[in-house]
Amino acid sequence: MCFDLDSVPPVPSLSGAAVSNRDLVLEAADGNRFAAFEAMPDETAGVGVAILPDVRGLYRFYEELALRFAERGYAAVALDYFGRTAGIDKRGDGFEYMPHVGQTTPESVQADVAACVAHLRAEECARIVSVGFCFGGRHSWLAAAGGYDLAGAIGFYGRPGTGADGSPGPTRRASELACPILGLMGGNDAGIPLEDVAAFDAALDDAGVEHELVVYDGAPHSFFDRKQEEFATESANAWNRTLAFIDANAH
C-alpha cells in the first residue's frame, strides 16, 4: 500500500478557513454508484480538484487532503474506485483492497473520474484539475486523455509505463494527453525506475505536451506523508508546486 492507515497529508490546516464537507454517492455513466468525499470552501473561485487515491481507494488520508484543498479556496472531491465490487459503505481498517484493485479497468476508473468531474462542474467549477497518488497518479495523467476538458493533471509517483494488464500507460498515450502535466516522483522509488520517468518525459516532449516532471533525489514511493519526516522539505516543495500548477493553469 502507499500510506499507513494513520498517515496524514504533510500539509498544515488553515485555522479559521470556512469549509464544509460531506460524504457523497456519485453515479457513473455505466450505472456504477460509488462513494466520494466532498470538501467545499464557503467562497470558491470556480476551481475544482478531483482527487484520485492510491490503491486502497477512499480513506482518511484523502478526505483530509480534500479539506486542505478546500481551506485554500478549491472545491475538492476524492473518489473511491470500488463501488462495483465493494459497494458504497464505509470500510474498516482490515479492508482487503487488492482483490478489488484487480477488478478495476482503465475504463471503469475513468468512468468514475468522469462522474467526479461532472459533479464538480455542477458545483460551478469551470476549471478542474486532477490530482492522483500511485495508482491514482497514473489514472490522473490518463484522465488528461479522457475528454473532460481538464485544466491540468497532477500525478504523485504514478506509474507511466504499460499496465500489468497490458493497457497502454501515459507514456504510450502521451500524444492524447490534452492538458498540462505535472509529475512529482521519488528518486528512490523501487517500483518506478528512473528510466520509466525519463521515457515519459521524452514522450511528452515528442508530443508537444506542456509538462514538468520533478524527481526528488532519495525520496521513496509515498514520500508525501507527515510521518516521512526526513522528506518534509520534499513534501513541502511538492505541495507548493501543486498549488502553483493549479494557480497557473486553472485561473
Side-chain angles (χ1 to χ4, degrees):
M1 69 179 65
C2 283
F3 295 114
D4 294 332
L5 292 169
D6 60 348
S7 293
V8 292
V11 179
S13 176
L14 297 183
S15 61
V19 170
S20 60
N21 66 84
R22 58 175 175 157
D23 294 322
L24 300 174
V25 176
L26 301 180
E27 185 169 332
D30 63 359
N32 175 52
R33 298 173 72 246
F34 62 95
F37 178 86
E38 175 189 82
M40 297 286 290
D42 283 1
E43 295 186 10
T44 178
V47 177
V49 179
I51 300 173
L52 284 68
D54 63 65
V55 291
R56 197 160 54 221
L58 181 61
Y59 62 100
R60 180 189 171 211
F61 184 98
Y62 297 102
E63 294 176 350
E64 290 290 332
L65 185 63
L67 290 167
R68 301 294 85 80
F69 276 116
E71 289 165 358
R72 288 153 179 84
Y74 305 120
V77 174
L79 62 90
D80 182 62
Y81 303 118
F82 309 131
R84 293 171 184 80
T85 57
I88 59 175
D89 294 336
K90 294 282 187 179
R91 302 173 193 131
D93 291 349
F95 174 62
E96 294 289 339
Y97 55 91
M98 283 308 296
H100 299 277
V101 175
Q103 296 178 74
T104 64
T105 66
E107 293 77 17
S108 70
V109 173
Q110 291 304 320
D112 296 347
V113 173
C116 185
V117 171
H119 176 80
L120 285 166
R121 294 213 188 278
E123 294 289 345
E124 301 185 349
C125 294
R127 297 167 303 282
I128 297 171
V129 172
S130 61
V131 180
F133 295 76
C134 181
F135 181 82
R138 173 187 182 83
H139 286 287
S140 176
W141 294 326
L142 289 173
Y148 315 134
D149 193 26
L150 294 179
I154 303 169
F156 282 72
Y157 28 83
R159 291 173 172 79
T162 301
D165 61 355
S167 61
T171 298
R172 283 172 55 190
R173 297 187 65 187
S175 64
E176 302 173 55
L177 306 185
C179 66
I181 298 293
L182 176 62
L184 301 162
M185 315 298 287
N188 192 31
D189 189 330
I192 306 175
L194 291 178
E195 293 82 0
D196 287 4
V197 180
F200 186 31
D201 190 41
L204 291 168
D205 278 337
D206 291 345
V209 176
E210 180 183 341
H211 68 283
E212 183 177 21
L213 302 183
V214 181
V215 176
Y216 293 101
D217 290 343
H221 195 71
S222 302
F223 65 85
F224 191 74
D225 180 350
R226 189 175 296 172
K227 292 172 65 176
Q228 298 265 19
E229 295 180 3
E230 64 270 44
F231 301 106
T233 298
E234 290 82 355
S235 290
N237 182 271
W239 178 244
N240 289 335
R241 286 179 182 273
T242 295
L243 296 180
F245 179 88
I246 296 172
D247 286 344
N249 293 288
H251 280 101

